Amino acid sequence: MIVDGVFSGGGIKGFAYVGAIQALEEKGIKFDRVAGTSAGAILATFIAAGFNAQELEEIFDELNLKVLLDPPKLTREFPFLKWLNLYRRFGLYKGKALENWFLQKLATKGIYTFGDLPKDSLKLVASDLTNGKIIVLPDDLHHYNIDGSTFPISRALRMSCGLPFFFEPVYLKHESTESVIVDGGVLSNFPLWIYDNGHKKRPVLGMKLSSASEDRAPHEINNAIQLFEALFTTMQNAHDNRYIARRHEKNIIFIPVEDYSTTQFDLDEKTKNKLISIGKERTIQFLKSWSPVW
């Protein structure tokens, strides 16, 4: 079966996607077009670049997550200055190491820019905070006078994965203005609307790093930190939850990983394997009764 795939954000919890792709490959399900936000953007890109499930597992198994965290040199020498960098640069980490890692991995498949992929095969979501809008890459780059076909995919991934206050944002210059671009999950954490838009060419299979809506516990809000967490989670999902109807949920694999942290960059092997196992088991269970609705 050939499908279009859409993958939600979820940070480090995205390891669960590796197991999900393993289960799909075993059933002979392949992707023609893919789209995603943040962690989902990473998976979508690697699929579009031609990585199979075995290669994905090897890539993420060998990955030392801590090397992707690159604080400015001055804050490494004087840790207390990280808060000054957060104030001035809007992020604790530069994000260059993350972008370089994307570049190196994609280069092994000869993929550098969107022009190296079949047209419309990959869509990544980011957030333009300056103009208050969702942007789809590479489609919307012409609004910034940028040729999407020559734009580095590694840079687009860094934009889609730029968790606010964690990684420094990416800046896109346009005439006399400069747009601040951050994680796509701020405005659309699960962009099912990209392909499930009334003009579908084939079944659209979604993967979401959360439980189904009826299984989610309500937010517990007893202090300011819990209030912020609830605020950010609501902001991430409100747009997408309003879009997703019951008929859409029949085509979505919900992977329940809420108990894991989005930014747990010190993830151990046991936890990595547990996430992969959850992704595979939930996908196998889903496929037993899945009948594509489209």
Side-chain angles (χ1 to χ4, degrees), residues 18-288:
V18 175
I21 297 303
Q22 290 173 348
L24 292 173
E25 277 194 9
E26 290 170 4
K27 289 294 184 179
I29 297 174
K30 299 181 179 180
F31 296 97
D32 186 76
R33 302 180 300 175
V34 284
T37 296
S38 198
I42 299 173
L43 184 78
T45 298
F46 284 177
I47 290 173
F51 290 94
N52 60 34
Q54 180 63 36
E55 290 171 318
L56 288 173
E57 184 172 10
E58 291 172 359
I59 287 172
F60 289 109
D61 185 57
E62 69 184 23
L63 174 61
N64 178 0
L65 291 166
K66 290 183 179 180
V67 305
L68 303 181
L69 303 181
D70 52 354
K73 183 178 179 181
L74 198 58
T75 65
R76 291 198 296 269
E77 297 174 357
F78 305 98
F80 66 91
L81 291 179
K82 67 180 181 180
W83 304 113
L84 177 61
N85 191 72
L86 177 62
Y87 177 78
R88 297 183 60 183
R89 302 289 301 173
F90 312 131
L92 294 172
Y93 303 100
K94 295 186 291 183
K96 290 292 185 182
L98 183 66
E99 183 175 338
N100 288 337
W101 184 74
F102 294 144
L103 177 64
Q104 292 167 12
K105 294 305 175 185
L106 291 173
T108 65
K109 294 289 186 179
I111 305 297
Y112 297 92
T113 69
F114 283 99
D116 295 324
L117 296 174
K119 182 176 172 58
D120 293 329
S121 62
L122 176 65
K123 311 282 187 184
L124 308 179
V125 174
S127 303
D128 181 340
L129 297 186
T130 302
N131 296 294
K133 65 180 183 180
I134 299 169
I135 57 175
V136 177
L137 307 167
D139 300 18
D140 294 330
L141 287 170
H142 69 275
H143 295 303
Y144 305 88
N145 287 335
I146 296 173
D147 181 356
S149 66
T150 63
F151 196 76
I153 297 176
S154 57
R155 173 56 59 91
L157 274 174
R158 166 144 147 61
M159 292 161 66
S160 186
C161 299
L163 187 65
F165 305 122
F166 200 78
F167 291 112
E168 294 177 8
V170 173
Y171 297 88
L172 290 183
K173 294 183 179 180
H174 174 51
E175 297 178 351
S176 60
T177 63
E178 190 173 55
S179 293
V180 177
I181 312 297
V182 299
D183 196 302
V186 171
L187 296 178
S188 183
N189 201 43
F190 183 45
L192 194 67
W193 45 269
I194 288 180
Y195 294 135
D196 197 341
N197 53 16
H199 303 285
K200 289 187 285 188
K201 297 182 178 181
R202 59 193 61 83
V204 177
L205 178 63
M207 291 192 200
K208 197 170 191 301
L209 295 174
S210 74
S211 301
S213 56
E214 68 271 16
D215 297 327
R216 287 181 218 137
H219 296 291
E220 183 175 341
I221 306 175
N222 297 312
N223 55 54
I225 294 176
Q226 290 178 336
L227 176 63
F228 177 79
E229 290 176 346
L231 175 66
F232 191 73
T233 301
T234 300
M235 182 173 60
Q236 279 188 308
N237 295 303
H239 172 274
D240 301 319
N241 287 344
R242 184 175 177 85
Y243 174 82
I244 297 171
R246 284 295 178 196
R247 68 180 184 86
H248 295 109
E249 290 196 351
K250 294 178 182 178
N251 289 331
I252 299 172
I253 303 171
F254 291 96
I255 304 175
V257 287
E258 289 93 340
D259 292 339
Y260 298 88
S261 170
T262 299
T263 57
Q264 190 180 343
F265 277 77
D266 59 350
L267 212 62
D268 57 33
E269 289 302 313
K270 181 179 179 180
T271 306
K272 283 184 185 179
N273 292 331
K274 179 61 176 177
L275 285 167
I276 292 172
S277 177
I278 292 172
K280 186 168 187 176
E281 291 172 4
R282 182 49 61 103
T283 302
I284 291 172
Q285 182 182 357
F286 171 86
L287 292 175
K288 287 179 180 179

